[in-house]
């Protein structure tokens, strides 16, 4: 059975990947700078940090497959670019069978700094001399909820004023995790696969679905807010309608999320 290393294994996507790998019986390890990361007991922890080159040797040398999810939108030069350079320097020495990288739809069409960093990482991987696959996806449901709805929701009885004219083809993290594992455990693509979520919705439509799931009668209002990141989601470069993937819709995601929250809260009453 292949030994799989996950970078970024304590993040939201990384945890989903780790849990699925364990269920499928893979020898699963995570690179972590924490002494005691909150992960299943069966996961092997390699103490290391992508920014410290010498700390990666043991993790890379003991792995057949690497799923590279580690990223930091606030500091992409250190984590994404330099961190990947450090990782690749060991990959070139120890030659894992397959390196898989998670990327974002539209990064080749934007000057946004984080997107440019992700594009540079893609190019580094493509220029290496080992087997690789890159998966580009549209935005996660989680990201839309946590960054484009919840910050604008002031509570019941108040209209939610969202940034105007944003569109998303959001996809569920579990759907992405399943696809990444299928790619990682298959024959290396040595190319880029792109997938998008099951539907394209405006942020206004997503907001109305959010209110419906919460059984609230508040209004969704929109206003034009100038922001470099928002312009990406107005331009449409974040969409990929020719490749609709995933089975968990935006409404499905919200119902699962808020039903779980309600159940958890009831359990502590």
């Amino acid at each position: 059975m292949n030994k799989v290393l996950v970078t970024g294994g304590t993040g939201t996507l990384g945890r989903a990947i780790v849990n699925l790998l364990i269920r499928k019986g893979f020898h699963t390890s995570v690179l972590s700078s924490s002494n005691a990361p909150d992960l299943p007991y069966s996961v092997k922890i390699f103490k290391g940090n992508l920014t410290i080159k010498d700390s990666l040797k043991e993790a890379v040398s003991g792995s057949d497959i690497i799923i590279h999810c580690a990223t930091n939108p606030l500091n992409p030069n250190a984590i994404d670019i330099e961190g990947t350079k450090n990782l690749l320097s060991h990959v070139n020495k120890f030659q894992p069978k397959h390196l898989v990288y998670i990327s974002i739809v539209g990064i080749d069409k934007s000057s946004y700094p984080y997107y440019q960093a992700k594009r540079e990482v893609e190019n580094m991987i493509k220029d290496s001399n080992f087997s690789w696959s890159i998966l580009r996806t549209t935005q996660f449901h989680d990201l839309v909820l946590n960054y484009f709805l919840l910050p604008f929701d002031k509570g019941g009885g108040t209209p939610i004023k969202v940034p105007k004219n944003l569109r998303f083809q959001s996809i569920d993290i579990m759907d992405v995790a399943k696809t990444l594992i299928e790619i990682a455990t298959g024959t290396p693509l040595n190319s880029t696969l792109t997938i998008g979520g099951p539907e394209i919705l405006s942020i206004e439509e997503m907001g109305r679905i959010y209110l419906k799931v919460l059984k609230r009668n508040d209004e969704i209002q929109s206003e034009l807010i100038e922001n470099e990141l928002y312009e990406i989601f107005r331009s449409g470069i974040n969409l990929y309608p020719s490749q609709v993937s995933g089975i968990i819709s935006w409404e499905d995601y919200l119902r699962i999320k808020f039903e779980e929250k309600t159940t958890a809260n009831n359990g502590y009453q």
Side-chain angles (χ1 to χ4, degrees):
M1 181 65 71
N2 286 322
K3 298 178 180 179
V4 185
L5 171 69
V6 182
T7 73
T10 58
T12 307
L13 175 61
R15 288 179 185 277
I17 293 169
V18 166
N19 288 331
L20 280 175
L21 285 169
I22 292 171
R23 287 180 210 165
K24 291 178 177 292
F26 286 94
H27 299 293
T28 307
S29 61
V30 166
L31 178 71
S32 176
S33 58
S34 172
N35 288 320
D38 182 19
L39 290 168
Y41 73 93
S42 60
V43 176
K44 183 173 183 177
I45 308 300
F46 287 106
K47 183 71 181 297
N49 190 313
L50 285 171
T51 63
I52 303 173
K53 183 176 179 179
D54 292 342
S55 71
L56 308 178
K57 178 179 178 180
E58 184 181 5
V60 174
S61 64
S63 304
D64 300 310
I65 296 169
I66 299 174
I67 303 178
H68 186 25
C69 299
T71 188
N72 186 342
L74 300 179
N75 192 7
N77 286 332
I79 304 301
D80 295 77
I81 295 175
E82 295 303 320
T84 301
K85 285 180 182 177
N86 290 336
L87 181 68
L88 294 181
S89 70
H90 288 294
V91 170
N92 285 329
K93 294 176 185 176
F94 298 105
Q95 291 294 319
K97 296 176 182 177
H98 196 179
L99 186 141
V100 180
Y101 180 60
I102 178 70
S103 191
I104 306 170
V105 170
I107 62 168
D108 54 335
K109 301 174 183 176
S110 173
S111 60
Y112 187 61
Y114 177 55
Y115 278 30
Q116 287 293 295
K118 297 287 284 187
R119 180 64 168 157
E120 186 171 341
V121 171
E122 282 192 0
N123 288 334
M124 284 192 286
I125 291 171
K126 292 175 183 178
D127 291 340
S128 63
N129 60 356
F130 54 87
S131 298
W132 57 273
S133 300
I134 293 173
L135 176 67
R136 286 186 183 175
T137 77
T138 52
Q139 281 63 48
F140 299 153
H141 293 324
D142 278 23
L143 183 138
V144 178
L145 177 65
N146 292 323
Y147 289 92
F148 297 97
L149 275 176
L150 290 182
F152 302 97
D153 186 356
K154 306 306 177 184
T158 305
I160 301 177
K161 297 181 179 180
V162 296
K164 192 174 185 177
N165 296 332
L166 310 187
R167 291 187 302 155
F168 296 93
Q169 189 181 348
S170 58
I171 191 168
D172 194 78
I173 281 176
M174 288 304 298
D175 287 328
V176 174
K178 290 174 183 176
T179 302
L180 278 169
I181 291 173
E182 288 174 4
I183 293 171
T185 56
T187 303
L189 302 176
N190 292 318
S191 63
T192 301
L193 175 67
T194 304
I195 62 172
E199 56 193 345
I200 296 174
L201 297 169
S202 69
I203 191 63
E204 292 86 355
E205 291 172 318
M206 299 177 93
R208 286 190 283 271
I209 293 170
Y210 165 77
L211 290 173
K212 182 180 77 170
V213 169
L214 292 178
K215 299 179 180 179
R216 285 168 48 183
N217 295 319
D218 302 308
E219 293 183 358
I220 293 292
Q221 299 177 359
S222 58
E223 55 186 348
L224 188 61
I225 303 174
E226 299 294 339
N227 179 292
E228 186 180 6
L229 181 60
Y230 294 170
E231 291 307 315
I232 292 173
F233 307 124
R234 290 190 179 109
S235 70
I237 63 170
N238 60 309
L239 309 176
Y240 202 75
S242 63
Q243 184 60 53
V244 173
S245 302
I247 59 173
I248 302 173
S249 70
W250 169 246
E251 185 168 346
D252 292 336
Y253 158 77
L254 291 175
R255 292 193 182 281
I256 293 168
K257 185 174 185 66
F258 289 111
E259 284 175 6
E260 286 178 351
K261 185 176 181 180
T262 300
T263 302
N265 288 340
N266 289 341
Y268 288 99
Q269 288 181 344

